[in-house]
Amino acid sequence: MSNRFVEAGLSAPVNVTWEVTLACNLRCRHCLSAAGPPAPRELTTQEAVGLVDELHRMGVFQVNFGGGEPFLRPDFEDILAACHRRGIVTCISTNGTLLDRARVERLARSGMVAVQVSLDGARRETCDAIRGEGTYERALEALGLLAASPIPTSINAVLTSANADEIPELHDLAGALGVALRVSRFRPSGRGAGAWDELRPDAAQLLGFGTWLAGRGDVRTGDSFFSLTPQERMGLGLNLCGAAKLTCCVGPEGDVYPCAFLQMPEFRAGSVREEPFAGIWEGSRVFRALRRLRIRSCESCHRFDRCHGGCPAVAYHLGRDLGRGDPECLERCVSAVAAGGPGRAREELEP
Amino acid sequence: METRCHVLHPSCRVRQEAFGLLFYDMQGPRLLFARTGDMLDAGVIARGLPVEQALRARAPSSRAAAERLILHLVEKGFLREQPVC
């Protein structure tokens, strides 16, 4: 029933992903934003707080901060505080390297923030090979500080071919630390495009993960895996892409996109420097097109009502066509494995 | 005299949409789409005032529908009961 309301268009996003800076002190191989140096003209503090005001007026419930590494922005805690003062809940995606006890205590005072710390393997060598030397230990230190605080905390792992076999172990690690596990989907954007062939999970790994996920209601996935979601989890999440319908992304320089994985000129819906955010949300050509998008090639599939064609961003990155259907959906994974076993599965998933 | 009323749960938010009320629970996070039209004033609920005060329509059928909705929202954890209005 809710799909009808969502597709009719909401007055504002439910949540906004805001990449507050492109600056990052790590160079993760799969980074969706290819973060490194800051963007040339990142929003000023005044502009950022102005955007918070506007999101509040529109009724946005939550802002998910990412980057880059958000804590590299000297005014990041001011922006957070501006959200909290207006009743907007926040979630921070961080690599954890800049968290210390004092910062965690300050964050905890708001009672309105959740933190995700990136950790891409249950073993040091796996994580460090993707995120850089020493990242595993530093993430664990940050998780320890957060776990001792009242801040809702999760490990955020991007599922790749390198760590697919370690996800159950990562789940155990999260449990031992007293935090949640969130698994996100690897998409070929940013630096991830260059690492795609090496790091993308094959069909057998995706199916294995889907099967494992079926019995793990406590593992969070956002809407990452809705095209792969087994029946047992259908009630927990969305069954359609929320980009431009429930959510959107604001980049470091104020450009607005349908989602973090479609930050390309052809999907730029507008800039908060040039027009009000509300006008972009309501009227941009890009957003309207995504709201009308129908994945016709998937409509005859028996799972169509469950995934509505999956993630358009992956389809676009791999085939330059939003309407082709998700190349990594459950049906295609099953077909790929049946056709030739895991050895052929990677090739068979090509769009 | 009413001895109980219902208010938005502290972990929840609500706003008006064309179809009615959109509830958000940050603990989930979870969404709930309530097809209430303009029966209830989202602004009143969002300010933490009793949902009973947010009822715009006065017809008995509307009141009954609102009471059913309130029970549903309590069950789902979006509202909580308070002893005194």
Side-chain angles (χ1 to χ4, degrees):
Chain A
M1 181 177 74
S2 56
N3 282 4
R4 185 161 39 92
F5 299 140
V6 171
E7 287 174 338
L10 298 180
S11 63
V14 167
N15 60 56
V16 170
T17 298
W18 186 354
E19 299 201 340
V20 282
T21 181
L22 198 58
C24 192
N25 53 347
L26 302 183
R27 297 292 184 273
C28 303
R29 297 183 58 212
H30 57 12
C31 178
L32 73 97
S33 305
R41 294 180 63 242
E42 299 195 344
L43 293 179
T44 64
T45 307
Q46 189 179 359
E47 287 172 322
V49 173
L51 177 57
V52 172
D53 261 334
E54 197 174 357
L55 298 178
H56 169 60
R57 282 197 300 274
M58 288 179 73
V60 170
F61 296 124
Q62 178 166 336
V63 176
N64 299 322
F65 286 104
E69 169 51 50
F71 287 109
L72 278 174
R73 255 192 91 122
D75 61 355
F76 179 54
E77 290 187 45
D78 299 327
I79 299 170
L80 276 179
C83 289
H84 299 157
R85 276 196 302 274
R86 290 157 180 80
I88 299 176
V89 182
T90 60
C91 179
I92 307 166
S93 182
T94 174
N95 60 35
T97 59
L98 301 174
L99 285 174
D100 58 21
R101 195 174 305 279
R103 177 164 269 160
V104 168
E105 284 173 6
R106 287 198 301 277
L107 293 174
R109 275 182 219 128
S110 75
M112 295 178 70
V113 65
V115 178
Q116 299 174 3
V117 179
S118 298
L119 188 71
D120 283 318
R123 300 166 204 159
R124 178 183 294 104
E125 59 272 24
T126 308
C127 181
D128 286 6
I130 295 173
R131 305 186 59 80
E133 195 65 32
T135 55
Y136 179 84
E137 289 298 338
R138 295 171 81 180
L140 285 188
E141 285 169 23
L143 285 162
L145 290 171
L146 289 160
S149 81
I151 298 172
T153 302
S154 56
I155 289 173
N156 188 30
V158 177
L159 183 73
T160 62
S161 59
N163 66 19
D165 297 339
E166 295 178 28
I167 299 299
E169 213 176 316
L170 206 48
H171 185 239
D172 292 343
L173 176 62
L177 288 168
V179 301
L181 173 64
R182 178 189 172 92
V183 185
S184 298
R185 187 168 169 190
F186 179 38
R187 292 175 172 95
S189 67
R191 260 197 302 281
W196 179 249
D197 286 340
E198 183 189 347
L199 291 180
R200 69 182 294 193
D202 65 30
Q205 288 173 320
L206 287 167
L207 279 181
F209 173 70
T211 303
W212 179 82
L213 202 55
R216 306 294 188 289
D218 62 320
V219 177
R220 299 170 188 179
T221 59
D223 64 357
S224 286
F225 293 100
F226 66 89
S227 68
L228 191 70
T229 299
Q231 185 64 37
E232 292 85 344
R233 282 181 65 98
M234 290 303 296
L236 293 180
L238 291 173
N239 63 352
L240 82 170
C241 169
K245 304 182 190 90
L246 292 165
T247 186
C248 67
C249 173
V250 178
E253 296 181 320
D255 295 321
V256 182
Y257 301 94
C259 83
F261 301 97
L262 289 174
Q263 293 184 70
M264 292 172 284
E266 57 269 43
F267 292 106
R268 183 180 176 274
S271 167
V272 298
R273 278 189 165 130
E274 296 163 4
E275 57 186 313
F277 179 86
I280 298 170
W281 175 258
E282 170 70 24
S284 94
R285 183 185 51 78
V286 170
F287 282 10
R288 285 173 178 263
L290 264 165
R291 288 168 192 150
R292 287 195 305 268
L293 179 67
R294 299 290 179 272
I295 315 295
R296 304 285 181 206
S297 60
C298 291
E299 284 181 351
S300 60
C301 174
H302 72 100
R303 289 192 89 245
F304 182 71
D305 285 346
R306 300 182 194 170
C307 79
H308 296 88
C311 175
V314 177
Y316 187 80
H317 281 288
L318 296 182
R320 286 291 178 267
D321 183 355
L322 287 175
R324 290 184 67 160
D326 192 327
E328 295 186 333
C329 76
L330 185 64
E331 279 305 295
R332 292 182 203 213
C333 287
V334 168
S335 302
V337 170
R344 284 190 62 200
R346 189 181 299 265
E347 176 191 342
E348 293 290 337
L349 280 175
E350 296 301 335
Chain B
M1 183 178 167
E2 292 286 341
T3 57
R4 59 181 187 157
C5 63
H6 300 87
V7 296
L8 192 65
H9 190 281
S11 73
C12 298
R13 304 284 185 272
V14 65
R15 75 179 188 216
Q16 188 73 47
E17 289 288 346
F19 58 81
L21 300 181
L22 177 60
F23 287 87
Y24 180 76
D25 177 4
M26 59 186 171
Q27 301 288 342
R30 296 182 299 151
L31 285 173
L32 187 141
F33 299 76
R35 195 176 168 183
T36 55
D38 61 357
M39 182 170 70
L40 292 162
D41 184 338
V44 171
I45 304 171
R47 288 197 296 276
L49 298 171
V51 178
E52 288 78 0
Q53 289 182 20
L55 186 61
R56 287 190 176 112
R58 296 295 172 196
S61 61
S62 294
R63 294 194 71 88
E67 283 168 14
R68 285 195 299 274
L69 174 69
I70 289 169
L71 282 178
H72 181 66
L73 291 169
V74 170
E75 275 176 21
K76 294 286 183 184
F78 289 94
L79 298 181
R80 67 179 186 182
E81 195 174 287
Q82 267 187 193
V84 181
C85 273

